[in-house]
Amino acid sequence: MQGWHNQDGSGNASATISYSLIENSPTVGLVSHYLDLDLSYTTIQNNTQAGLYILSNTVYPFHHNLITGNGGTSRDGIEVKSSGTLYMQDAGQLKGFNKVSGNGEDQISNSGDLIIGSWHHLNPYGGHNHIYGSFSGSRYLVENNSGYPVEAYYNWWGPTIYSGMFSGSMDGTSYNLSSDPTNGVNHGHGGQAPSKALPNSASTETESLADAYDAAENQLREASSSQQVRNSLHKLYQIAGLSRKENPELTSRFRQLTESAVRGSENLYSSSEQNNVLHNTAKVLYAKSFTREGEYEEAQAWLKETNASSLEGYDRRDWLHLNMVTETYHGDYETAWQTLQEYYAFQESQGEDMEEVKAGHSPFEEDLKALIDAGKGKRDIWEKQNVETSEGMTLGNYPNPFNPTTNIRFTLPEQSQVSLVVYDMIGREVATLVNDILPAGDRTIRFDASSLANGIYLYKLRAGTQQITRTMTLIK
C-alpha cells in the first residue's frame, strides 16, 4: 500500500490495521484523523515524509510494528500532534515490541499524549520497544514538546544511554532494557510475536488502573510546584484514557475534577500560582477528554464557552490546536484556516523553528486548502443561480465529515412549504429528504449516504421565499 489516509467523520469510528505494508509514499505513510486506530504487525517504511502522522485521534493498541526509513529534514518516523494520542502497548497495557529505527530526523516527535512504556508500579513489563537511530544536536530518539513527561519504562535505546538522545521531559529511561527485545523477530508485514524479555528487576505485582488513578489524584493534591500540578493532572488524563473501555467511571471522575477546577469550585492549593496552573491545564485537558472520545460537538461547545485569554505556553498552543481540529470537523474550514495562521503566529512568538512547525502541519494544511478550494467551487455553482437568504432560518449537519450517515438540522421561523434536497458537486439531485408543508420550529432529518461515493455534497433548504445551501463531506 502506497500511503493510507483516513479522516473519518463520525467521531466514534475505529479501525484495525494488521499485517500490512505501507511504503514508498511521496508524502506521509499513514495519516489518521478523527479515527481510533488499532495498529499491529504492520511495517511503515521508506515514506518521504513522516511514517505515522497522528493528528486528532487515539492510536492504541500499538504493538509489533516496524517504523523505519521514513522522513527527512524536519520530518520524523512518528509524529504525534497536540490533539493526538499514541500508547505504544497492546490492549492489556503490556508488551509493545515495536521497532522504531533508522528514520530521517527524530524517531518520535510528540506534542500530544505519548506513552512508550507504562509507569513501573502500574506495569512492570513496560513498553519493550526498540527505539534507536542517529541522534546529534537537533535529532533525537524522542523529541517531547508536550509540556508533560513521556512515560518510557523498559525499552531498549541502543547499547548505551546518553542524555542527548532525548529532548524534553522523560520518565523511566533509567529502567531501560539491557538488550534489544525485538532481535531476531520479523516485525510488521508477516511478522511473528517475539518472546517476552522481562527485566530482571521487575516485580510481578501490578496496580489496577483505579488504584493508580487514586494515587495520582493524591499526588495532584499534594503537588508542591506548578510543574507537579501539570504532570499529575496529565497523568490522571492518561489513566482515564487507558481505562475508558474497562472503567469509564474514571473518565467521568476526571471530567468532574477538571470542570470543577475550571469553574473555580476546586482550589487545591494555598498558592495562587499553582491554582492558576490547575485552572488553565484543566481547561485544556477537559476539552481534550471530549475529542479523545470523539465527542467533537461537546468539545467545540466548551472551547467557545470558556475564556482562553489567560492561557500561555503549551496550554495556549494546545487550545489553538483543539480549535483547529473541531472547526475542521464541523466544516468551518475558513475559520480553521484563520486559527491555523494564529497557531503559526503564536509558535513563532515562542521562538519555535517555523520551518519545522509548518513542515509538521503540512498534511493538515494541504487537506484544509483542498476543502476550502472545493468550497469555493461549489459556492460558484450556486451563486450563478440563486441569492441565499436566511432571516430566522438555520441549517447545518452533524457530524461533518460523516460516514455514512449524518443528521441535518434546520429551523423554520414560520409555517412554510419546505424542500430539502441533496446535490452532487455538478448540481445533480441525489436525494430529496423533505417536500412538505411544515410548521415553525426545529427539525432533524437523518441522511444515509451508504449508496453514494466519497466526496463533497451540497444540501439546499427552501422554505417559502428563503433558501440556504450548505456543504457536507462523505468519507467512507
Side-chain angles (χ1 to χ4, degrees), residues 18 50 55 123 137 153 158 169 199 205 240-241 286 301 350 417:
S18 296
L55 182 58
N123 170 10
Y153 289 86
S169 181
E205 297 180 2
Y286 185 75
Q350 300 296 295
Q417 173 68 42

Side-chain angles (χ1 to χ4, degrees), residues 21 140 155 168 172 225 277 336 348 351 404 429 444:
L21 178 64
Y140 304 97
N155 297 286
S225 70
V277 170
E348 188 170 19
E429 181 178 323
T444 300

